[in-house]
Amino acid sequence: MSCRLCGARLSRCLVDLGATPLANAYLTPEQAAAGADRAYPLRVMVCDHCLLVQVAESLPPDAIFAADYAYFSSFSASWVAHARRYAEAMTERFGLGPQSLVAEVASNDGYLLQHFRAAGIPVLGIEPAAGVAASARRIGVRTEQMFFAADTAAGLAARYGRADLIAANNVLAHVPDLAGFVAGFTAMLRPEGVATFEFPHLLRLLQLVQFDTIYHEHFSYLSLLVVEQALRGAGLRAFDVERLPTHGGSLRVFACHTAASHAPRPGLHQVRADEAAAGLDRPETYNDFAPEVARICQSVRNFVTEQGRRGRVLAAYGAAAKGNTLLNTCGITARDVICVADRNPAKQGKLLPGSHIPVVSPEALANARPADVLVLPWNIADEIAAELAPLHAAGTRLWVLVPEPRMLG
């Protein structure tokens, strides 16, 4: 096995989560009955040379981000609000207007670009999944359906012109060829253009043992240290970093061409210092993660078993990828959890991969009146708790399970 960034041989394992299904491969009951569920190894390695944390065995992107890919960003109100704040801040900071072009890579259903468009700023979405790309076009967000790389970026620049701002939210981790992907920004940015990359911070994943954010769609788990290496290889440089609360703790890295005039900001230096203090530049730092994952999995299994022993009916909320990693790694199935509610109609009526827990509407969950609800997307637990307030007031207990089972409210 070779590192997907520097090519060095991989020998250090961060954690092995065993064989699990694709986290967003929801099944119909008929597919489950026919045995259509498939599991793949989910083992994460650390490169001792460049320190990129990465899945060992990867699947082709088109096998993951198929036409029926079921993640729609707009179903999270808090994420849409996050996108609106980003659009307002970037418009003011970089003086964007009708003469500008704002692009987004992995633009999903237009959840972000719609805010720039509403302000009269030309936009271009780049999205590989047909279903969500079509949703973006229906709300008037110009979208090209394709995978982003150096060659496709050059074609887009020739057709639409270069961009003043390119957003890449939670997509860096999803690309198998990190260097080739980043090179696309070099091809598509104007000389003083800015690219912003948001991604869950590896430092937080390690500190809070967020192992449920590991799944096959995430080829890499990123630090500023590694992202700066990838940027330099493409003729780009970071000049600022913001810390974000999203996804359990994320970074927003601002990058530009090496020769651009954007001066380094204090946020860049601070995150560099934080990572160095935590030892992210030393391979041995990563050796203690797997035992912590094993401990948490046992704690979650014990919790679920105890609720069943007491005769309490368990349900869940949020048919999210991180929830599927948690359920499958901990061996929790439809025998333990009667259903999982989700607002996304594309998921309702299907079964979660591996666990085969049925996905229902939030209204069906309310009618079921379970004793306990497991809030699987802990990163938006407050939003979900507010939505489930009537059920909670009627006596249902709400829980998050990572890094420890904890009752909400």
Side-chain angles (χ1 to χ4, degrees), residues 217-278:
E217 290 178 20
H218 286 172
F219 295 101
S220 305
Y221 303 85
L222 297 163
S223 61
L224 175 62
L225 172 72
V226 167
V227 169
E228 287 204 85
Q229 292 180 64
L231 291 171
R232 285 194 294 269
L236 301 172
R237 60 176 175 87
F239 66 88
D240 198 5
V241 182
E242 294 177 355
R243 292 184 181 88
L244 305 171
T246 54
H247 297 287
S250 297
L251 297 181
R252 177 185 290 152
V253 174
F254 293 74
C256 61
H257 291 286
T258 301
S261 63
H262 301 283
R265 304 283 296 171
L268 175 68
H269 306 302
Q270 185 59 61
V271 176
R272 283 174 177 168
D274 290 347
E275 291 189 350

Short mmCIF file of all heavy atoms in Angstrom, two decimals, residues 217-278:
data_model
loop_
_atom_site.label_atom_id
_atom_site.label_comp_id
_atom_site.label_asym_id
_atom_site.label_seq_id
_atom_site.Cartn_x
_atom_site.Cartn_y
_atom_site.Cartn_z
N GLU A 217 -16.43 6.84 2.05
CA GLU A 217 -16.47 8.08 1.28
C GLU A 217 -15.33 9.01 1.65
O GLU A 217 -14.94 9.86 0.86
CB GLU A 217 -17.80 8.81 1.50
CG GLU A 217 -18.99 8.12 0.89
CD GLU A 217 -20.27 8.88 1.21
OE1 GLU A 217 -20.18 10.07 1.56
OE2 GLU A 217 -21.35 8.28 1.10
N HIS A 218 -14.84 8.89 2.87
CA HIS A 218 -13.75 9.73 3.34
C HIS A 218 -12.43 9.02 3.09
O HIS A 218 -12.00 8.18 3.87
CB HIS A 218 -13.90 10.04 4.83
CG HIS A 218 -14.98 11.02 5.14
ND1 HIS A 218 -15.38 11.30 6.42
CD2 HIS A 218 -15.74 11.79 4.32
CE1 HIS A 218 -16.35 12.21 6.38
NE2 HIS A 218 -16.58 12.52 5.12
N PHE A 219 -11.78 9.36 2.00
CA PHE A 219 -10.51 8.74 1.68
C PHE A 219 -9.40 9.24 2.60
O PHE A 219 -8.42 8.54 2.85
CB PHE A 219 -10.13 9.02 0.23
CG PHE A 219 -11.05 8.40 -0.78
CD1 PHE A 219 -12.03 9.16 -1.42
CD2 PHE A 219 -10.96 7.06 -1.10
CE1 PHE A 219 -12.89 8.58 -2.34
CE2 PHE A 219 -11.80 6.47 -2.03
CZ PHE A 219 -12.78 7.23 -2.64
N SER A 220 -9.54 10.49 3.11
CA SER A 220 -8.50 11.11 3.93
C SER A 220 -9.10 11.79 5.14
O SER A 220 -10.27 12.21 5.13
CB SER A 220 -7.71 12.16 3.12
OG SER A 220 -7.18 11.61 1.93
N TYR A 221 -8.27 11.95 6.18
CA TYR A 221 -8.64 12.63 7.42
C TYR A 221 -7.55 13.65 7.66
O TYR A 221 -6.38 13.30 7.82
CB TYR A 221 -8.81 11.60 8.56
CG TYR A 221 -9.84 10.57 8.14
CD1 TYR A 221 -9.47 9.46 7.38
CD2 TYR A 221 -11.18 10.77 8.41
CE1 TYR A 221 -10.41 8.57 6.92
CE2 TYR A 221 -12.14 9.88 7.94
CZ TYR A 221 -11.75 8.78 7.20
OH TYR A 221 -12.69 7.91 6.72
N LEU A 222 -7.93 14.93 7.68
CA LEU A 222 -6.98 15.98 7.31
C LEU A 222 -6.56 16.89 8.45
O LEU A 222 -7.37 17.32 9.28
CB LEU A 222 -7.58 16.82 6.19
CG LEU A 222 -7.86 16.06 4.89
CD1 LEU A 222 -8.80 16.82 4.00
CD2 LEU A 222 -6.55 15.76 4.18
N SER A 223 -5.29 17.22 8.44
CA SER A 223 -4.71 18.26 9.28
C SER A 223 -4.28 19.42 8.40
O SER A 223 -4.12 19.28 7.18
CB SER A 223 -3.49 17.70 10.02
OG SER A 223 -2.50 17.29 9.08
N LEU A 224 -4.08 20.58 9.00
CA LEU A 224 -3.52 21.72 8.26
C LEU A 224 -2.15 21.36 7.73
O LEU A 224 -1.79 21.72 6.60
CB LEU A 224 -3.45 22.95 9.15
CG LEU A 224 -2.79 24.18 8.53
CD1 LEU A 224 -3.56 24.67 7.31
CD2 LEU A 224 -2.63 25.29 9.57
N LEU A 225 -1.37 20.63 8.51
CA LEU A 225 -0.04 20.21 8.11
C LEU A 225 -0.06 19.52 6.74
O LEU A 225 0.73 19.85 5.85
CB LEU A 225 0.52 19.25 9.17
CG LEU A 225 1.85 18.55 8.86
CD1 LEU A 225 3.00 19.55 8.94
CD2 LEU A 225 2.08 17.39 9.82
N VAL A 226 -0.97 18.59 6.55
CA VAL A 226 -1.05 17.83 5.30
C VAL A 226 -1.65 18.68 4.18
O VAL A 226 -1.18 18.64 3.04
CB VAL A 226 -1.85 16.54 5.51
CG1 VAL A 226 -2.21 15.90 4.18
CG2 VAL A 226 -1.05 15.56 6.37
N VAL A 227 -2.67 19.45 4.50
CA VAL A 227 -3.31 20.28 3.47
C VAL A 227 -2.31 21.29 2.91
O VAL A 227 -2.29 21.54 1.69
CB VAL A 227 -4.57 20.96 4.04
CG1 VAL A 227 -5.09 22.03 3.08
CG2 VAL A 227 -5.66 19.93 4.30
N GLU A 228 -1.49 21.84 3.75
CA GLU A 228 -0.48 22.79 3.24
C GLU A 228 0.50 22.09 2.30
O GLU A 228 0.95 22.69 1.30
CB GLU A 228 0.25 23.45 4.39
CG GLU A 228 -0.59 24.49 5.13
CD GLU A 228 0.26 25.53 5.83
OE1 GLU A 228 0.66 26.52 5.18
OE2 GLU A 228 0.54 25.34 7.03
N GLN A 229 0.86 20.86 2.58
CA GLN A 229 1.73 20.11 1.66
C GLN A 229 1.07 19.95 0.30
O GLN A 229 1.70 20.13 -0.75
CB GLN A 229 2.05 18.74 2.24
CG GLN A 229 2.93 18.75 3.47
CD GLN A 229 3.19 17.35 3.98
OE1 GLN A 229 3.82 16.54 3.30
NE2 GLN A 229 2.68 17.04 5.17
N ALA A 230 -0.22 19.58 0.30
CA ALA A 230 -0.94 19.40 -0.96
C ALA A 230 -1.05 20.71 -1.73
O ALA A 230 -0.91 20.74 -2.97
CB ALA A 230 -2.33 18.82 -0.68
N LEU A 231 -1.30 21.81 -1.03
CA LEU A 231 -1.40 23.11 -1.68
C LEU A 231 -0.06 23.51 -2.32
O LEU A 231 -0.03 23.96 -3.47
CB LEU A 231 -1.83 24.18 -0.67
CG LEU A 231 -3.26 24.09 -0.14
CD1 LEU A 231 -3.47 25.07 1.01
CD2 LEU A 231 -4.28 24.33 -1.24
N ARG A 232 1.01 23.34 -1.58
CA ARG A 232 2.32 23.72 -2.13
C ARG A 232 2.64 22.93 -3.39
O ARG A 232 3.23 23.47 -4.34
CB ARG A 232 3.41 23.50 -1.07
CG ARG A 232 3.44 24.54 0.03
CD ARG A 232 4.73 24.46 0.84
NE ARG A 232 4.82 23.20 1.57
CZ ARG A 232 4.37 23.04 2.83
NH1 ARG A 232 3.77 24.04 3.46
NH2 ARG A 232 4.53 21.89 3.44
N GLY A 233 2.26 21.67 -3.40
CA GLY A 233 2.52 20.85 -4.57
C GLY A 233 1.78 21.32 -5.81
O GLY A 233 2.17 20.99 -6.94
N ALA A 234 0.72 22.11 -5.61
CA ALA A 234 -0.07 22.61 -6.74
C ALA A 234 0.21 24.07 -7.04
O ALA A 234 -0.50 24.68 -7.85
CB ALA A 234 -1.56 22.42 -6.44
N GLY A 235 1.21 24.66 -6.39
CA GLY A 235 1.50 26.07 -6.62
C GLY A 235 0.57 27.01 -5.89
O GLY A 235 0.39 28.16 -6.31
N LEU A 236 -0.01 26.54 -4.80
CA LEU A 236 -0.91 27.35 -3.98
C LEU A 236 -0.33 27.47 -2.58
O LEU A 236 0.57 26.72 -2.20
CB LEU A 236 -2.30 26.72 -3.90
CG LEU A 236 -3.04 26.49 -5.22
CD1 LEU A 236 -4.30 25.67 -4.99
CD2 LEU A 236 -3.37 27.83 -5.90
N ARG A 237 -0.84 28.42 -1.79
CA ARG A 237 -0.41 28.54 -0.41
C ARG A 237 -1.60 28.95 0.46
O ARG A 237 -2.52 29.65 0.01
CB ARG A 237 0.71 29.57 -0.26
CG ARG A 237 0.34 30.98 -0.69
CD ARG A 237 1.47 31.97 -0.44
NE ARG A 237 1.13 33.29 -0.98
CZ ARG A 237 0.44 34.22 -0.31
NH1 ARG A 237 0.00 33.97 0.92
NH2 ARG A 237 0.18 35.39 -0.88
N ALA A 238 -1.58 28.52 1.70
CA ALA A 238 -2.58 28.95 2.67
C ALA A 238 -2.18 30.31 3.21
O ALA A 238 -0.99 30.59 3.42
CB ALA A 238 -2.68 27.94 3.80
N PHE A 239 -3.17 31.19 3.44
CA PHE A 239 -2.86 32.49 4.04
C PHE A 239 -3.73 32.80 5.26
O PHE A 239 -3.46 33.75 5.98
CB PHE A 239 -2.94 33.62 3.01
CG PHE A 239 -4.33 33.89 2.46
CD1 PHE A 239 -5.19 34.78 3.09
CD2 PHE A 239 -4.76 33.27 1.29
CE1 PHE A 239 -6.46 35.05 2.58
CE2 PHE A 239 -6.03 33.53 0.77
CZ PHE A 239 -6.88 34.42 1.41
N ASP A 240 -4.76 31.98 5.51
CA ASP A 240 -5.57 32.19 6.70
C ASP A 240 -6.29 30.89 7.04
O ASP A 240 -6.50 30.04 6.16
CB ASP A 240 -6.60 33.31 6.47
CG ASP A 240 -7.18 33.87 7.77
OD1 ASP A 240 -6.71 33.47 8.87
OD2 ASP A 240 -8.10 34.70 7.70
N VAL A 241 -6.64 30.74 8.31
CA VAL A 241 -7.41 29.58 8.77
C VAL A 241 -8.41 30.06 9.81
O VAL A 241 -8.06 30.86 10.70
CB VAL A 241 -6.51 28.49 9.40
CG1 VAL A 241 -7.35 27.29 9.83
CG2 VAL A 241 -5.42 28.05 8.44
N GLU A 242 -9.63 29.60 9.69
CA GLU A 242 -10.65 29.84 10.71
C GLU A 242 -11.07 28.52 11.32
O GLU A 242 -11.20 27.51 10.61
CB GLU A 242 -11.89 30.53 10.09
CG GLU A 242 -11.63 31.92 9.58
CD GLU A 242 -12.87 32.52 8.92
OE1 GLU A 242 -13.88 31.81 8.79
OE2 GLU A 242 -12.80 33.70 8.52
N ARG A 243 -11.31 28.51 12.63
CA ARG A 243 -11.86 27.34 13.29
C ARG A 243 -13.38 27.43 13.25
O ARG A 243 -13.95 28.50 13.49
CB ARG A 243 -11.40 27.26 14.75
CG ARG A 243 -9.92 26.98 14.92
CD ARG A 243 -9.63 26.84 16.41
NE ARG A 243 -8.23 26.59 16.68
CZ ARG A 243 -7.32 27.54 16.86
NH1 ARG A 243 -7.68 28.81 16.75
NH2 ARG A 243 -6.07 27.24 17.12
N LEU A 244 -14.03 26.30 12.97
CA LEU A 244 -15.49 26.25 12.87
C LEU A 244 -16.02 25.16 13.80
O LEU A 244 -15.37 24.14 14.01
CB LEU A 244 -15.90 25.94 11.43
CG LEU A 244 -15.36 26.86 10.33
CD1 LEU A 244 -15.70 26.29 8.97
CD2 LEU A 244 -15.93 28.27 10.48
N PRO A 245 -17.24 25.33 14.32
CA PRO A 245 -17.82 24.29 15.18
C PRO A 245 -18.44 23.13 14.40
O PRO A 245 -18.79 22.11 15.00
CB PRO A 245 -18.89 25.06 15.96
CG PRO A 245 -19.32 26.15 15.03
CD PRO A 245 -18.08 26.54 14.27
N THR A 246 -18.58 23.26 13.10
CA THR A 246 -19.29 22.26 12.30
C THR A 246 -18.59 20.91 12.33
O THR A 246 -17.36 20.83 12.41
CB THR A 246 -19.42 22.74 10.84
OG1 THR A 246 -18.12 23.07 10.35
CG2 THR A 246 -20.30 23.97 10.75
N HIS A 247 -19.39 19.85 12.25
CA HIS A 247 -18.90 18.47 12.18
C HIS A 247 -17.94 18.14 13.33
O HIS A 247 -16.97 17.42 13.15
CB HIS A 247 -18.24 18.20 10.83
CG HIS A 247 -19.19 18.32 9.67
ND1 HIS A 247 -20.16 17.37 9.41
CD2 HIS A 247 -19.34 19.29 8.74
CE1 HIS A 247 -20.86 17.75 8.36
NE2 HIS A 247 -20.39 18.91 7.94
N GLY A 248 -18.26 18.66 14.50
CA GLY A 248 -17.46 18.33 15.66
C GLY A 248 -16.16 19.08 15.77
O GLY A 248 -15.35 18.81 16.65
N GLY A 249 -15.94 20.07 14.90
CA GLY A 249 -14.72 20.87 14.90
C GLY A 249 -14.03 20.81 13.56
O GLY A 249 -13.40 19.83 13.22
N SER A 250 -14.16 21.87 12.77
CA SER A 250 -13.61 21.91 11.42
C SER A 250 -12.66 23.09 11.26
O SER A 250 -12.61 24.00 12.09
CB SER A 250 -14.73 22.03 10.38
OG SER A 250 -15.57 20.89 10.40
N LEU A 251 -11.92 23.07 10.16
CA LEU A 251 -11.11 24.20 9.75
C LEU A 251 -11.64 24.73 8.43
O LEU A 251 -12.12 23.97 7.58
CB LEU A 251 -9.64 23.79 9.55
CG LEU A 251 -8.87 23.28 10.76
CD1 LEU A 251 -7.44 22.96 10.36
CD2 LEU A 251 -8.91 24.27 11.91
N ARG A 252 -11.51 26.04 8.25
CA ARG A 252 -11.71 26.67 6.94
C ARG A 252 -10.36 27.28 6.54
O ARG A 252 -9.91 28.25 7.17
CB ARG A 252 -12.80 27.74 6.98
CG ARG A 252 -12.99 28.48 5.64
CD ARG A 252 -14.00 29.61 5.77
NE ARG A 252 -15.34 29.08 5.96
CZ ARG A 252 -16.32 29.74 6.61
NH1 ARG A 252 -16.07 30.92 7.16
NH2 ARG A 252 -17.52 29.19 6.72
N VAL A 253 -9.75 26.69 5.54
CA VAL A 253 -8.44 27.15 5.08
C VAL A 253 -8.63 28.03 3.86
O VAL A 253 -9.30 27.63 2.90
CB VAL A 253 -7.53 25.95 4.75
CG1 VAL A 253 -6.21 26.42 4.14
CG2 VAL A 253 -7.27 25.12 6.01
N PHE A 254 -8.03 29.22 3.88
CA PHE A 254 -8.06 30.15 2.76
C PHE A 254 -6.75 29.98 1.98
O PHE A 254 -5.66 30.05 2.57
CB PHE A 254 -8.17 31.59 3.24
CG PHE A 254 -9.47 31.93 3.91
CD1 PHE A 254 -9.76 31.47 5.20
CD2 PHE A 254 -10.42 32.71 3.27
CE1 PHE A 254 -10.95 31.79 5.82
CE2 PHE A 254 -11.62 33.03 3.89
CZ PHE A 254 -11.89 32.56 5.17
N ALA A 255 -6.85 29.78 0.67
CA ALA A 255 -5.67 29.56 -0.15
C ALA A 255 -5.70 30.43 -1.40
O ALA A 255 -6.78 30.84 -1.86
CB ALA A 255 -5.56 28.08 -0.55
N CYS A 256 -4.52 30.67 -1.95
CA CYS A 256 -4.39 31.50 -3.15
C CYS A 256 -3.17 31.02 -3.93
O CYS A 256 -2.42 30.16 -3.47
CB CYS A 256 -4.24 32.97 -2.78
SG CYS A 256 -2.78 33.32 -1.77
N HIS A 257 -2.98 31.56 -5.12
CA HIS A 257 -1.75 31.29 -5.86
C HIS A 257 -0.55 31.75 -5.04
O HIS A 257 -0.63 32.73 -4.29
CB HIS A 257 -1.76 32.02 -7.21
CG HIS A 257 -2.77 31.49 -8.19
ND1 HIS A 257 -2.60 30.29 -8.84
CD2 HIS A 257 -3.96 31.99 -8.62
CE1 HIS A 257 -3.64 30.07 -9.65
NE2 HIS A 257 -4.49 31.09 -9.53
N THR A 258 0.57 31.06 -5.20
CA THR A 258 1.77 31.39 -4.42
C THR A 258 2.16 32.85 -4.59
O THR A 258 2.59 33.51 -3.62
CB THR A 258 2.93 30.48 -4.86
OG1 THR A 258 2.56 29.12 -4.66
CG2 THR A 258 4.18 30.78 -4.06
N ALA A 259 2.01 33.40 -5.79
CA ALA A 259 2.44 34.77 -6.07
C ALA A 259 1.38 35.81 -5.76
O ALA A 259 1.63 37.02 -5.94
CB ALA A 259 2.86 34.88 -7.54
N ALA A 260 0.21 35.41 -5.27
CA ALA A 260 -0.87 36.38 -4.99
C ALA A 260 -0.49 37.26 -3.81
O ALA A 260 0.43 36.96 -3.04
CB ALA A 260 -2.17 35.64 -4.72
N SER A 261 -1.23 38.35 -3.64
CA SER A 261 -0.85 39.37 -2.65
C SER A 261 -1.44 39.13 -1.27
O SER A 261 -1.15 39.90 -0.34
CB SER A 261 -1.30 40.74 -3.16
OG SER A 261 -2.73 40.79 -3.28
N HIS A 262 -2.24 38.10 -1.07
CA HIS A 262 -2.88 37.87 0.23
C HIS A 262 -1.84 37.57 1.31
O HIS A 262 -1.05 36.61 1.18
CB HIS A 262 -3.88 36.72 0.13
CG HIS A 262 -4.96 36.95 -0.88
ND1 HIS A 262 -6.03 37.78 -0.64
CD2 HIS A 262 -5.13 36.46 -2.15
CE1 HIS A 262 -6.83 37.79 -1.70
NE2 HIS A 262 -6.30 37.01 -2.63
N ALA A 263 -1.82 38.38 2.35
CA ALA A 263 -0.81 38.24 3.41
C ALA A 263 -1.24 37.18 4.42
O ALA A 263 -2.43 37.03 4.71
CB ALA A 263 -0.61 39.58 4.11
N PRO A 264 -0.29 36.45 5.01
CA PRO A 264 -0.62 35.46 6.05
C PRO A 264 -1.29 36.13 7.24
O PRO A 264 -0.92 37.24 7.65
CB PRO A 264 0.75 34.89 6.44
CG PRO A 264 1.63 35.16 5.27
CD PRO A 264 1.16 36.45 4.68
N ARG A 265 -2.28 35.43 7.81
CA ARG A 265 -3.05 35.96 8.93
C ARG A 265 -2.75 35.16 10.19
O ARG A 265 -2.25 34.02 10.13
CB ARG A 265 -4.54 35.86 8.60
CG ARG A 265 -4.95 36.56 7.30
CD ARG A 265 -5.02 38.06 7.48
NE ARG A 265 -6.06 38.41 8.44
CZ ARG A 265 -6.25 39.63 8.94
NH1 ARG A 265 -5.41 40.61 8.59
NH2 ARG A 265 -7.22 39.88 9.78
N PRO A 266 -3.04 35.73 11.36
CA PRO A 266 -2.72 35.05 12.63
C PRO A 266 -3.34 33.67 12.78
O PRO A 266 -2.75 32.79 13.40
CB PRO A 266 -3.26 36.02 13.69
CG PRO A 266 -3.22 37.36 13.03
CD PRO A 266 -3.55 37.11 11.59
N GLY A 267 -4.53 33.46 12.21
CA GLY A 267 -5.18 32.16 12.35
C GLY A 267 -4.35 31.03 11.79
O GLY A 267 -4.36 29.91 12.32
N LEU A 268 -3.62 31.29 10.72
CA LEU A 268 -2.76 30.28 10.11
C LEU A 268 -1.67 29.84 11.09
O LEU A 268 -1.44 28.65 11.31
CB LEU A 268 -2.14 30.84 8.82
CG LEU A 268 -1.12 29.95 8.11
CD1 LEU A 268 -1.79 28.71 7.53
CD2 LEU A 268 -0.42 30.75 7.00
N HIS A 269 -1.01 30.82 11.70
CA HIS A 269 0.08 30.51 12.61
C HIS A 269 -0.42 29.80 13.86
O HIS A 269 0.26 28.91 14.39
CB HIS A 269 0.82 31.80 12.99
CG HIS A 269 1.29 32.60 11.81
ND1 HIS A 269 2.13 32.08 10.85
CD2 HIS A 269 1.02 33.88 11.42
CE1 HIS A 269 2.38 33.00 9.92
NE2 HIS A 269 1.71 34.09 10.25
N GLN A 270 -1.61 30.16 14.34
CA GLN A 270 -2.14 29.55 15.56
C GLN A 270 -2.46 28.08 15.37
O GLN A 270 -2.14 27.24 16.21
CB GLN A 270 -3.40 30.30 16.02
CG GLN A 270 -3.95 29.80 17.36
CD GLN A 270 -2.94 29.91 18.48
OE1 GLN A 270 -2.49 31.02 18.80
NE2 GLN A 270 -2.55 28.79 19.08
N VAL A 271 -3.10 27.73 14.25
CA VAL A 271 -3.45 26.33 14.02
C VAL A 271 -2.18 25.50 13.78
O VAL A 271 -2.08 24.36 14.24
CB VAL A 271 -4.45 26.19 12.87
CG1 VAL A 271 -4.73 24.72 12.56
CG2 VAL A 271 -5.75 26.89 13.22
N ARG A 272 -1.22 26.07 13.09
CA ARG A 272 0.06 25.37 12.94
C ARG A 272 0.65 25.04 14.32
O ARG A 272 1.13 23.92 14.56
CB ARG A 272 1.05 26.24 12.17
CG ARG A 272 0.85 26.30 10.67
CD ARG A 272 1.81 27.31 10.08
NE ARG A 272 1.74 27.40 8.62
CZ ARG A 272 2.32 28.37 7.91
NH1 ARG A 272 3.01 29.33 8.54
NH2 ARG A 272 2.22 28.39 6.60
N ALA A 273 0.62 26.01 15.22
CA ALA A 273 1.18 25.81 16.56
C ALA A 273 0.38 24.77 17.34
O ALA A 273 0.96 23.94 18.05
CB ALA A 273 1.21 27.14 17.32
N ASP A 274 -0.94 24.80 17.22
CA ASP A 274 -1.78 23.84 17.94
C ASP A 274 -1.49 22.41 17.49
O ASP A 274 -1.41 21.49 18.31
CB ASP A 274 -3.26 24.15 17.70
CG ASP A 274 -3.70 25.43 18.40
OD1 ASP A 274 -2.95 25.94 19.26
OD2 ASP A 274 -4.80 25.92 18.06
N GLU A 275 -1.35 22.21 16.18
CA GLU A 275 -1.07 20.87 15.67
C GLU A 275 0.30 20.38 16.11
O GLU A 275 0.47 19.20 16.46
CB GLU A 275 -1.18 20.86 14.15
CG GLU A 275 -2.61 21.04 13.65
CD GLU A 275 -2.76 20.80 12.16
OE1 GLU A 275 -1.72 20.68 11.46
OE2 GLU A 275 -3.91 20.74 11.69
N ALA A 276 1.27 21.28 16.12
CA ALA A 276 2.61 20.88 16.57
C ALA A 276 2.59 20.51 18.05
O ALA A 276 3.21 19.52 18.46
CB ALA A 276 3.60 22.01 16.30
N ALA A 277 1.86 21.28 18.85
CA ALA A 277 1.79 21.00 20.29
C ALA A 277 1.12 19.67 20.56
O ALA A 277 1.44 18.98 21.54
CB ALA A 277 1.04 22.13 20.99
N ALA A 278 0.16 19.28 19.70
CA ALA A 278 -0.54 18.01 19.86
C ALA A 278 0.24 16.83 19.28
O ALA A 278 -0.19 15.68 19.42
CB ALA A 278 -1.92 18.09 19.20
#
